[in-house]
Amino acid sequence: MPEPAANTPHPHSATLRRLEKSSGTLAAAAIARMDAQLPWYRAMPPENRSWIGLVAQAGIAAFTEWFRHPETPQAISTDVFGTAPRELTRAITLRQTVEMVRTTIEVMESAIDEVAAPGDEGVLREALLVYAREIAFATAQVYAQAAEARGAWDARLESLVVNAVLSGEADEGALSRAAALGWSAPANVSVVLGTAPNGDSELTVEAIRRAARHAKVQVLTGVLGDRLVVIAGGSDQPLQTAKSLIGPFAAGPVVAGPVVPDLLSATRSAAAAAAGLKACAAWPDAPRPVLADDLLPERAMAGDNTARDQLVEEIYRPLQEAGSALLETLSVYLEQASSLEGAARMLFVHPNTVRYRLRRVTDVTGWSPSDVRSAFTLRIALILGRLADTESPL
């Protein structure tokens, strides 16, 4: 249908006039059919229903203008959806929008015989079919743009939350942002740190999300500099959680912080994981992933005061309170290269007595003196405890 020249009557002017006069009636008929056929429309608040009515009316008006100048490029998405606020794309799903558009097109199609001038029925029907295709593309574009904008905004929010936790500045604002991202405040939260891979960070984040869905844990994640940070909620097994999420991490150590009750407390888990990641260089054979608490000796030697205090309070003090015999036996046993007989000779007791006391050490501290790695941790705890005693005021 060629575009009419200036001052040249429209080749279908009679149909065009009828279409213009019928636009209000068609819009009302479309709204009435939505109310009758679409349950979700009836359940919507009046404000949203009124916006939908404006969208339907704008769609019919846009079709009229498009029929007037079919060869002129029309910004259909702007003409039709520009009347509704951006929030409407959150309130109405893409499926519901498709149903709304389909209903409006069906109403217009059913009125073709009444609206079209005699002989123009076929022209109007063909024009409506083409316009329906353009509206479908416009609908997809509007929702794609909304999803893209929402995804970019969500990524910024998530980055703010992750950075707040990692920097120790998580507050109520971080909780609000996390809630906006769908974080349902799960119990048992831990932070996993490692090196981020090269390449697109969005792909890395999406890979973490897929792994989290498979592991059935909630995550907030992001790439901060060269670090990949994952805040995981819903599991009281941090090592198992880290193993299930380890795939997207680059080569190198991956450290899981201890479990804490909630997101606000996750700063402690993040601090432990960060200290562990720094201290991993001192334990080249550390497993991957590794718990931050398994790196307590290296963290303490690297200057982590929290690790020093934890070794003293969780190992040295309980042994001290359990009686001098345990501390003395453990010290002698470690000095004697973990020899039961050698320790028994030094203590003037039977080897079975040494064996019993070492089992008590394990019961009290959770660390076994007969294990090489645990013995190292116990030795560092004894050293730090004695130093703490000498530093305490008399």
Side-chain angles (χ1 to χ4, degrees):
M1 193 188 316
E3 181 180 359
N7 300 322
T8 300
H10 192 281
H12 306 285
S13 55
T15 297
L16 183 58
R17 286 194 299 270
R18 287 185 173 194
L19 193 57
E20 291 171 342
K21 289 179 181 179
S22 303
S23 60
T25 304
L26 291 172
I31 294 300
R33 184 172 294 192
M34 288 182 211
D35 189 63
Q37 297 182 354
L38 305 178
W40 59 264
Y41 175 78
R42 293 193 299 272
M44 296 192 78
E47 181 182 8
N48 285 348
R49 288 203 304 270
S50 66
W51 281 119
I52 290 177
L54 287 177
V55 169
Q57 192 170 3
I60 295 171
F63 171 66
T64 302
E65 188 61 27
W66 186 83
F67 185 74
R68 186 193 309 275
H69 303 295
E71 301 300 326
T72 303
Q74 301 288 332
I76 291 178
S77 62
T78 302
D79 291 344
V80 176
F81 298 102
T83 59
R86 182 177 299 176
E87 291 80 5
L88 196 61
T89 58
R90 289 182 181 267
I92 304 176
T93 66
L94 177 58
R95 179 185 60 81
Q96 291 170 339
T97 303
V98 169
E99 290 178 350
M100 176 187 71
V101 171
R102 180 187 293 120
T103 301
T104 305
I105 294 296
E106 287 174 352
V107 167
M108 295 175 66
E109 189 175 17
S110 65
I112 284 178
D113 291 337
E114 298 176 9
V115 174
D120 281 354
E121 293 86 355
V123 173
L124 188 58
R125 183 171 286 105
E126 181 181 350
L128 184 60
L129 288 174
V130 176
Y131 180 75
R133 182 194 65 186
E134 297 300 321
I135 277 289
F137 289 144
T139 301
Q141 182 182 25
V142 166
Y143 274 82
Q145 289 172 344
E148 186 176 355
R150 189 157 54 246
W153 175 250
D154 287 352
R156 288 193 291 271
L157 275 185
E158 191 166 15
S159 179
L160 288 173
V161 175
V162 171
N163 186 64
V165 169
L166 197 60
S167 63
E169 299 174 355
D171 54 15
E172 293 297 328
L175 290 182
S176 298
R177 297 185 186 100
L181 293 165
W183 180 264
S184 63
N188 301 321
V189 177
S190 60
V191 177
V192 182
L193 287 182
T195 303
N198 295 327
D200 191 342
S201 60
E202 292 184 7
L203 295 179
T204 300
V205 167
E206 184 54 37
I208 288 289
R209 295 197 196 290
R210 286 196 300 270
R213 286 193 293 270
H214 187 267
K216 294 180 173 54
V217 294
Q218 291 190 49
V219 294
L220 295 167
T221 183
V223 175
L224 301 181
D226 62 348
R227 286 184 180 179
L228 176 54
V229 186
V230 182
I231 304 168
S235 170
D236 60 356
Q237 302 293 326
L239 189 60
Q240 188 61 39
T241 298
K243 287 179 179 178
S244 65
L245 302 176
I246 201 170
F249 284 86
V254 174
V255 182
V259 171
V260 293
D262 49 40
L263 186 60
L264 280 182
S265 307
T267 53
R268 298 201 307 270
S269 183
L277 193 63
K278 176 183 176 183
C280 266
W283 188 13
D285 296 327
R288 184 178 186 269
V290 62
L291 291 173
D293 283 356
D294 287 344
L295 287 156
L296 284 174
E298 288 79 10
R299 287 167 53 193
M301 296 173 73
D304 181 3
N305 290 329
T306 299
R308 288 174 58 103
D309 294 342
Q310 194 171 337
L311 286 168
V312 173
E313 297 302 323
E314 294 183 4
I315 296 179
Y316 182 77
R317 296 297 178 210
L319 288 174
Q320 196 176 46
E321 293 168 1
S324 59
L326 290 189
L327 269 178
E328 182 184 20
T329 300
L330 176 61
S331 179
V332 171
Y333 176 76
L334 294 175
E335 292 296 335
Q336 294 300 311
S338 301
S339 168
L340 284 172
E341 291 74 12
R345 285 194 300 271
M346 293 292 295
L347 294 169
F348 301 103
V349 297
H350 194 276
N352 284 342
T353 301
V354 176
R355 187 178 288 108
Y356 167 77
R357 290 176 181 176
L358 293 180
R359 283 200 301 268
R360 287 279 297 133
V361 168
T362 302
D363 293 339
V364 169
T365 67
W367 300 84
S368 172
S370 60
D371 176 78
V372 175
R373 176 68 192 176
S374 294
F376 172 64
T377 302
L378 290 166
R379 182 186 290 274
I380 297 298
L382 291 184
I383 293 171
L384 293 175
R386 290 165 183 154
L387 289 174
D389 283 344
T390 61
E391 294 169 359
S392 301
L394 298 176

PDB file of all heavy atoms in Angstrom, residues 211-231:
ATOM      1  N   ALA A 211      25.418 -23.761  39.911  1.00  0.00           N
ATOM      2  CA  ALA A 211      25.931 -24.707  40.900  1.00  0.00           C
ATOM      3  C   ALA A 211      25.150 -24.607  42.208  1.00  0.00           C
ATOM      4  O   ALA A 211      24.883 -25.617  42.863  1.00  0.00           O
ATOM      5  CB  ALA A 211      27.417 -24.440  41.148  1.00  0.00           C
ATOM      6  N   ALA A 212      24.765 -23.384  42.585  1.00  0.00           N
ATOM      7  CA  ALA A 212      24.011 -23.187  43.827  1.00  0.00           C
ATOM      8  C   ALA A 212      22.623 -23.803  43.732  1.00  0.00           C
ATOM      9  O   ALA A 212      22.134 -24.406  44.697  1.00  0.00           O
ATOM     10  CB  ALA A 212      23.906 -21.696  44.135  1.00  0.00           C
ATOM     11  N   ARG A 213      21.984 -23.666  42.570  1.00  0.00           N
ATOM     12  CA  ARG A 213      20.668 -24.286  42.397  1.00  0.00           C
ATOM     13  C   ARG A 213      20.758 -25.797  42.521  1.00  0.00           C
ATOM     14  O   ARG A 213      19.900 -26.442  43.128  1.00  0.00           O
ATOM     15  CB  ARG A 213      20.066 -23.890  41.038  1.00  0.00           C
ATOM     16  CG  ARG A 213      19.569 -22.449  40.993  1.00  0.00           C
ATOM     17  CD  ARG A 213      18.722 -22.227  39.758  1.00  0.00           C
ATOM     18  NE  ARG A 213      19.496 -22.320  38.518  1.00  0.00           N
ATOM     19  CZ  ARG A 213      20.091 -21.292  37.933  1.00  0.00           C
ATOM     20  NH1 ARG A 213      20.028 -20.076  38.479  1.00  0.00           N
ATOM     21  NH2 ARG A 213      20.755 -21.451  36.798  1.00  0.00           N
ATOM     22  N   HIS A 214      21.815 -26.360  41.952  1.00  0.00           N
ATOM     23  CA  HIS A 214      22.006 -27.812  42.029  1.00  0.00           C
ATOM     24  C   HIS A 214      22.282 -28.247  43.466  1.00  0.00           C
ATOM     25  O   HIS A 214      21.829 -29.321  43.898  1.00  0.00           O
ATOM     26  CB  HIS A 214      23.168 -28.225  41.125  1.00  0.00           C
ATOM     27  CG  HIS A 214      23.343 -29.709  40.998  1.00  0.00           C
ATOM     28  ND1 HIS A 214      24.198 -30.426  41.811  1.00  0.00           N
ATOM     29  CD2 HIS A 214      22.755 -30.614  40.175  1.00  0.00           C
ATOM     30  CE1 HIS A 214      24.152 -31.702  41.481  1.00  0.00           C
ATOM     31  NE2 HIS A 214      23.279 -31.847  40.495  1.00  0.00           N
ATOM     32  N   ALA A 215      23.013 -27.414  44.220  1.00  0.00           N
ATOM     33  CA  ALA A 215      23.344 -27.742  45.612  1.00  0.00           C
ATOM     34  C   ALA A 215      22.236 -27.354  46.581  1.00  0.00           C
ATOM     35  O   ALA A 215      22.331 -27.631  47.774  1.00  0.00           O
ATOM     36  CB  ALA A 215      24.639 -27.035  46.015  1.00  0.00           C
ATOM     37  N   LYS A 216      21.201 -26.679  46.052  1.00  0.00           N
ATOM     38  CA  LYS A 216      20.061 -26.251  46.869  1.00  0.00           C
ATOM     39  C   LYS A 216      20.481 -25.315  48.000  1.00  0.00           C
ATOM     40  O   LYS A 216      20.084 -25.467  49.168  1.00  0.00           O
ATOM     41  CB  LYS A 216      19.312 -27.464  47.433  1.00  0.00           C
ATOM     42  CG  LYS A 216      18.641 -28.308  46.354  1.00  0.00           C
ATOM     43  CD  LYS A 216      17.905 -29.490  46.945  1.00  0.00           C
ATOM     44  CE  LYS A 216      17.085 -30.235  45.887  1.00  0.00           C
ATOM     45  NZ  LYS A 216      17.843 -30.649  44.718  1.00  0.00           N
ATOM     46  N   VAL A 217      21.324 -24.342  47.659  1.00  0.00           N
ATOM     47  CA  VAL A 217      21.684 -23.279  48.599  1.00  0.00           C
ATOM     48  C   VAL A 217      21.416 -21.930  47.938  1.00  0.00           C
ATOM     49  O   VAL A 217      21.423 -21.817  46.709  1.00  0.00           O
ATOM     50  CB  VAL A 217      23.172 -23.361  49.029  1.00  0.00           C
ATOM     51  CG1 VAL A 217      23.432 -24.620  49.836  1.00  0.00           C
ATOM     52  CG2 VAL A 217      24.104 -23.286  47.823  1.00  0.00           C
ATOM     53  N   GLN A 218      21.156 -20.934  48.749  1.00  0.00           N
ATOM     54  CA  GLN A 218      21.015 -19.574  48.247  1.00  0.00           C
ATOM     55  C   GLN A 218      22.389 -18.918  48.193  1.00  0.00           C
ATOM     56  O   GLN A 218      23.233 -19.162  49.069  1.00  0.00           O
ATOM     57  CB  GLN A 218      20.098 -18.747  49.154  1.00  0.00           C
ATOM     58  CG  GLN A 218      18.654 -19.164  49.126  1.00  0.00           C
ATOM     59  CD  GLN A 218      17.777 -18.161  49.859  1.00  0.00           C
ATOM     60  OE1 GLN A 218      17.853 -16.954  49.647  1.00  0.00           O
ATOM     61  NE2 GLN A 218      16.932 -18.678  50.740  1.00  0.00           N
ATOM     62  N   VAL A 219      22.617 -18.085  47.201  1.00  0.00           N
ATOM     63  CA  VAL A 219      23.905 -17.410  47.104  1.00  0.00           C
ATOM     64  C   VAL A 219      23.731 -15.949  46.736  1.00  0.00           C
ATOM     65  O   VAL A 219      22.796 -15.568  46.048  1.00  0.00           O
ATOM     66  CB  VAL A 219      24.837 -18.086  46.064  1.00  0.00           C
ATOM     67  CG1 VAL A 219      25.231 -19.480  46.489  1.00  0.00           C
ATOM     68  CG2 VAL A 219      24.213 -18.077  44.681  1.00  0.00           C
ATOM     69  N   LEU A 220      24.654 -15.159  47.238  1.00  0.00           N
ATOM     70  CA  LEU A 220      24.911 -13.812  46.751  1.00  0.00           C
ATOM     71  C   LEU A 220      26.367 -13.836  46.317  1.00  0.00           C
ATOM     72  O   LEU A 220      27.241 -14.266  47.087  1.00  0.00           O
ATOM     73  CB  LEU A 220      24.696 -12.775  47.857  1.00  0.00           C
ATOM     74  CG  LEU A 220      23.260 -12.638  48.388  1.00  0.00           C
ATOM     75  CD1 LEU A 220      23.249 -11.825  49.680  1.00  0.00           C
ATOM     76  CD2 LEU A 220      22.365 -11.998  47.346  1.00  0.00           C
ATOM     77  N   THR A 221      26.652 -13.429  45.110  1.00  0.00           N
ATOM     78  CA  THR A 221      28.001 -13.623  44.600  1.00  0.00           C
ATOM     79  C   THR A 221      28.434 -12.456  43.733  1.00  0.00           C
ATOM     80  O   THR A 221      27.604 -11.678  43.248  1.00  0.00           O
ATOM     81  CB  THR A 221      28.088 -14.943  43.796  1.00  0.00           C
ATOM     82  OG1 THR A 221      29.426 -15.153  43.375  1.00  0.00           O
ATOM     83  CG2 THR A 221      27.173 -14.899  42.574  1.00  0.00           C
ATOM     84  N   GLY A 222      29.730 -12.335  43.551  1.00  0.00           N
ATOM     85  CA  GLY A 222      30.266 -11.282  42.700  1.00  0.00           C
ATOM     86  C   GLY A 222      31.769 -11.426  42.555  1.00  0.00           C
ATOM     87  O   GLY A 222      32.431 -12.123  43.336  1.00  0.00           O
ATOM     88  N   VAL A 223      32.288 -10.771  41.545  1.00  0.00           N
ATOM     89  CA  VAL A 223      33.729 -10.736  41.308  1.00  0.00           C
ATOM     90  C   VAL A 223      34.226  -9.368  41.742  1.00  0.00           C
ATOM     91  O   VAL A 223      33.828  -8.338  41.199  1.00  0.00           O
ATOM     92  CB  VAL A 223      34.059 -10.985  39.827  1.00  0.00           C
ATOM     93  CG1 VAL A 223      35.558 -10.830  39.587  1.00  0.00           C
ATOM     94  CG2 VAL A 223      33.589 -12.370  39.397  1.00  0.00           C
ATOM     95  N   LEU A 224      35.085  -9.337  42.748  1.00  0.00           N
ATOM     96  CA  LEU A 224      35.649  -8.093  43.256  1.00  0.00           C
ATOM     97  C   LEU A 224      37.150  -8.123  43.011  1.00  0.00           C
ATOM     98  O   LEU A 224      37.891  -8.829  43.695  1.00  0.00           O
ATOM     99  CB  LEU A 224      35.366  -7.933  44.755  1.00  0.00           C
ATOM    100  CG  LEU A 224      33.884  -7.933  45.169  1.00  0.00           C
ATOM    101  CD1 LEU A 224      33.759  -7.738  46.674  1.00  0.00           C
ATOM    102  CD2 LEU A 224      33.121  -6.854  44.427  1.00  0.00           C
ATOM    103  N   GLY A 225      37.584  -7.368  42.021  1.00  0.00           N
ATOM    104  CA  GLY A 225      38.987  -7.418  41.635  1.00  0.00           C
ATOM    105  C   GLY A 225      39.319  -8.785  41.080  1.00  0.00           C
ATOM    106  O   GLY A 225      38.696  -9.257  40.130  1.00  0.00           O
ATOM    107  N   ASP A 226      40.305  -9.442  41.685  1.00  0.00           N
ATOM    108  CA  ASP A 226      40.670 -10.784  41.219  1.00  0.00           C
ATOM    109  C   ASP A 226      40.054 -11.872  42.087  1.00  0.00           C
ATOM    110  O   ASP A 226      40.375 -13.044  41.944  1.00  0.00           O
ATOM    111  CB  ASP A 226      42.194 -10.941  41.198  1.00  0.00           C
ATOM    112  CG  ASP A 226      42.818 -10.786  42.581  1.00  0.00           C
ATOM    113  OD1 ASP A 226      42.105 -10.332  43.512  1.00  0.00           O
ATOM    114  OD2 ASP A 226      44.012 -11.117  42.740  1.00  0.00           O
ATOM    115  N   ARG A 227      39.152 -11.490  42.983  1.00  0.00           N
ATOM    116  CA  ARG A 227      38.532 -12.454  43.879  1.00  0.00           C
ATOM    117  C   ARG A 227      37.112 -12.791  43.448  1.00  0.00           C
ATOM    118  O   ARG A 227      36.355 -11.914  43.043  1.00  0.00           O
ATOM    119  CB  ARG A 227      38.478 -11.912  45.318  1.00  0.00           C
ATOM    120  CG  ARG A 227      39.813 -11.912  46.033  1.00  0.00           C
ATOM    121  CD  ARG A 227      39.617 -11.454  47.457  1.00  0.00           C
ATOM    122  NE  ARG A 227      40.863 -11.437  48.216  1.00  0.00           N
ATOM    123  CZ  ARG A 227      40.956 -11.058  49.484  1.00  0.00           C
ATOM    124  NH1 ARG A 227      39.875 -10.651  50.126  1.00  0.00           N
ATOM    125  NH2 ARG A 227      42.119 -11.059  50.098  1.00  0.00           N
ATOM    126  N   LEU A 228      36.784 -14.051  43.572  1.00  0.00           N
ATOM    127  CA  LEU A 228      35.409 -14.507  43.402  1.00  0.00           C
ATOM    128  C   LEU A 228      34.855 -14.759  44.795  1.00  0.00           C
ATOM    129  O   LEU A 228      35.407 -15.556  45.562  1.00  0.00           O
ATOM    130  CB  LEU A 228      35.368 -15.786  42.565  1.00  0.00           C
ATOM    131  CG  LEU A 228      33.996 -16.448  42.376  1.00  0.00           C
ATOM    132  CD1 LEU A 228      32.969 -15.468  41.819  1.00  0.00           C
ATOM    133  CD2 LEU A 228      34.114 -17.668  41.469  1.00  0.00           C
ATOM    134  N   VAL A 229      33.790 -14.043  45.137  1.00  0.00           N
ATOM    135  CA  VAL A 229      33.203 -14.102  46.472  1.00  0.00           C
ATOM    136  C   VAL A 229      31.827 -14.740  46.373  1.00  0.00           C
ATOM    137  O   VAL A 229      31.013 -14.336  45.543  1.00  0.00           O
ATOM    138  CB  VAL A 229      33.077 -12.691  47.094  1.00  0.00           C
ATOM    139  CG1 VAL A 229      32.592 -12.778  48.532  1.00  0.00           C
ATOM    140  CG2 VAL A 229      34.394 -11.942  47.001  1.00  0.00           C
ATOM    141  N   VAL A 230      31.570 -15.711  47.241  1.00  0.00           N
ATOM    142  CA  VAL A 230      30.254 -16.355  47.285  1.00  0.00           C
ATOM    143  C   VAL A 230      29.781 -16.360  48.731  1.00  0.00           C
ATOM    144  O   VAL A 230      30.464 -16.891  49.611  1.00  0.00           O
ATOM    145  CB  VAL A 230      30.288 -17.794  46.750  1.00  0.00           C
ATOM    146  CG1 VAL A 230      28.873 -18.382  46.789  1.00  0.00           C
ATOM    147  CG2 VAL A 230      30.851 -17.846  45.341  1.00  0.00           C
ATOM    148  N   ILE A 231      28.621 -15.751  48.966  1.00  0.00           N
ATOM    149  CA  ILE A 231      27.960 -15.832  50.266  1.00  0.00           C
ATOM    150  C   ILE A 231      26.866 -16.877  50.125  1.00  0.00           C
ATOM    151  O   ILE A 231      25.919 -16.685  49.360  1.00  0.00           O
ATOM    152  CB  ILE A 231      27.363 -14.476  50.671  1.00  0.00           C
ATOM    153  CG1 ILE A 231      28.442 -13.382  50.663  1.00  0.00           C
ATOM    154  CG2 ILE A 231      26.704 -14.559  52.044  1.00  0.00           C
ATOM    155  CD1 ILE A 231      27.876 -11.982  50.773  1.00  0.00           C
TER     156      ILE A 231
END
